[in-house]
Amino acid sequence: MEMLLAAAVVVIIGVILFKYLDCDLTLLWNIKFGKQSSDLVGKVVWITGCSSGIGEALAYEFASAGCRLVLSARRENLLNKVKQKCIETSRGALTSDDILVQPLDLLDYNSHPSVTETVFKYFKKVDILVNNAGRSQRGLIVETALEVDRQVFDLDLLAPISVTKAILPYMIKQGGGHIMCTSSVAGKLGAPGSASYTAAKHGIQGFFDTLRIECAPDSISITMACPGPVFSEALVHAFTSEPNKKLNVEMKKSWNRMTAERCAYLMGVAAANKLHEVWLTPNPELFYCYLFQYIPYFAKKIAVKLGQGRANKVKAGIADLH
Ligand SMILES: NC(=O)c1ccc[n+]([C@@H]2O[C@H](COP(=O)([O-])OP(=O)(O)OC[C@H]3O[C@@H](n4cnc5c(N)ncnc54)[C@H](OP(=O)(O)O)[C@@H]3O)[C@@H](O)[C@H]2O)c1
């Protein structure tokens, strides 16, 4: 009888966790018992790609925590609007001088050292760099031009590496720092219909996992944030199988995705606790992350079966894959 009761409790907890959990258990623990983003008050945070989506929501999250900000992307007009909203969100904690709008084209690698110099001249330090900017991709491998693969790698892999290389000497000189990347669940497992994006995100996982080890003696921490599907402009700007052709799809409110605000909140907790890696997604993607991390042989076997549905949707031009 007692065994049955215990089994029932385990099943009920399992069902609740499966239905309501939207992040990994380490992050959940830190939400309940760890530091919050408000503990980052006064820190200087540089966010790339914050003119929309997750980056924009991150700007508001860090602004409401009282962080000073560097806002970067190409669309300067949008960054100025984000800046104004950050000042409002901070409820008096931040003035205009606390937020630097620093336009940046991540594909212009040669500009990264001088832009970084400008940022350090302004704030004298950067506590947290968030390599967030990026573009998703839709297209089957067999139909995708090699030029597209190259463009995805240039933006989603090489650009964050380049900005990081520009900032590292400054962080080492200032005695430490924290680099956060918006990776993806696609950085943990194969995502049919987004192969080059998946490869780029796996690439940054590998690069920054290595950096974490190499730069630990310099007190540099690394946080890899791996969101699942999130509401943003991602599908408007996503690469397709043809070079220079965007997907141009607006996400619908009815789609089953995490809000950018929730994603930013979770990333804020991850930043405050300097967690090495966090998974930000409800099930089934969260469950897949656990499977791929801990039982890869079995996970890869079932992915071949389950992944066909997603590949067929991409083939049929269906944008909502979840
Ligand atoms: N949405 C999702 O479902 C999801 C899931 C997992 C991971 N992610 C990751 O989250 C990050 C943010 O994406 P998002 O979903 O928030 O999409 P988004 O709304 O399209 O935001 C992308 C940001 O990247 C910037 N960007 C693009 N190309 C750039 C360039 N050449 N130079 C500088 N900035 C550039 C954009 O700004 P400008 O156009 O103004 O330059 C924009 O601010 C990406 O790394 C993405 O891979 C998204």
Side-chain angles (χ1 to χ4, degrees):
M1 185 63 187
E2 278 171 5
M3 287 288 281
L4 264 179
L5 205 62
V9 169
V10 168
V11 168
I12 289 167
I13 291 174
V15 169
I16 291 172
L17 285 181
F18 193 86
K19 198 161 165 45
Y20 295 108
L21 207 60
D22 67 357
C23 66
D24 65 83
L25 294 172
T26 310
L27 182 54
L28 182 69
W29 176 270
N30 279 278
I31 290 169
K32 300 282 174 212
F33 305 110
K35 293 180 182 167
Q36 299 299 306
S37 58
S38 52
D39 290 300
L40 298 170
V41 60
K43 302 275 186 205
V44 176
V45 183
W46 181 6
I47 309 167
T48 70
C50 53
S51 55
S52 63
I54 296 171
E56 179 183 357
L58 274 174
Y60 304 141
E61 178 67 27
F62 286 119
S64 67
C67 297
R68 291 172 289 159
L69 295 168
V70 185
L71 307 178
S72 286
R74 291 164 303 176
R75 292 172 291 178
E76 193 174 352
N77 57 330
L78 293 186
L79 291 179
N80 283 318
K81 286 186 188 160
V82 173
K83 173 174 176 170
Q84 277 317 312
K85 207 170 153 193
C86 283
I87 294 170
E88 288 158 30
T89 309
S90 78
R91 292 181 303 275
L94 301 178
T95 66
S96 184
D97 289 348
D98 294 316
I99 303 176
L100 174 67
V101 166
Q102 178 57 62
L104 170 68
D105 182 351
L106 279 168
L107 294 173
D108 182 7
Y109 307 126
N110 290 334
S111 72
H112 297 171
S114 60
V115 166
T116 308
E117 192 182 350
T118 308
V119 168
F120 273 82
K121 268 198 183 131
Y122 189 86
F123 278 121
K124 311 285 181 259
K125 65 166 188 171
V126 171
D127 297 293
I128 305 174
L129 164 70
V130 189
N131 282 314
N132 168 75
R135 282 174 64 191
S136 189
Q137 180 222 4
R138 287 292 164 79
L140 297 174
I141 294 169
V142 71
E143 294 166 358
T144 301
L146 188 64
E147 180 54 22
V148 173
D149 301 324
R150 200 190 311 272
Q151 288 177 2
V152 177
F153 295 157
D154 283 349
L155 181 65
D156 291 341
L157 176 58
L158 213 51
I161 289 176
S162 171
V163 174
T164 299
K165 286 191 173 197
I167 206 173
L168 268 180
Y170 291 91
M171 281 193 165
I172 292 169
K173 200 167 165 211
Q174 75 185 10
H178 186 179
I179 301 174
M180 199 167 185
C181 296
T182 312
S183 175
S184 171
V185 163
K188 301 300 295 174
L189 43 91
S194 307
S196 356
Y197 177 76
T198 301
K201 293 296 186 185
H202 273 68
I204 59 165
Q205 292 283 135
F207 183 89
F208 286 93
D209 276 348
T210 308
L211 183 66
R212 182 184 298 113
I213 301 165
E214 285 192 14
C215 283
D218 301 302
S219 304
I220 290 172
S221 312
I222 305 292
T223 297
M224 302 304 290
C226 303
V230 175
F231 282 106
S232 73
E233 292 184 3
L235 297 185
V236 174
H237 307 292
F239 294 96
T240 59
S241 49
E242 289 173 46
N244 307 319
K245 185 179 167 206
K246 289 186 179 184
L247 190 66
N248 226 352
V249 168
E250 298 269 1
M251 293 177 190
K252 296 201 172 69
K253 280 192 179 140
S254 58
W255 291 4
N256 186 19
R257 291 182 159 244
M258 185 181 274
T259 62
E261 292 71 26
R262 174 68 180 165
C263 184
Y265 165 74
L266 294 173
M267 286 177 69
V269 176
N273 293 284
K274 294 189 173 170
L275 299 180
H276 291 164
E277 182 174 303
V278 287
W279 303 335
L280 322 168
T281 182
N283 284 300
E285 283 84 0
L286 183 60
F287 180 63
Y288 297 153
C289 287
Y290 275 101
L291 271 189
F292 270 81
Q293 184 83 12
Y294 296 108
I295 326 175
Y297 172 79
F298 180 63
K300 283 174 194 193
K301 255 181 130 70
I302 62 168
V304 172
K305 289 211 161 54
L306 294 183
Q308 296 309 321
R310 187 182 149 112
N312 288 336
K313 278 186 181 174
V314 174
K315 207 181 279 178
I318 297 168
D320 183 18
L321 304 179
H322 306 282

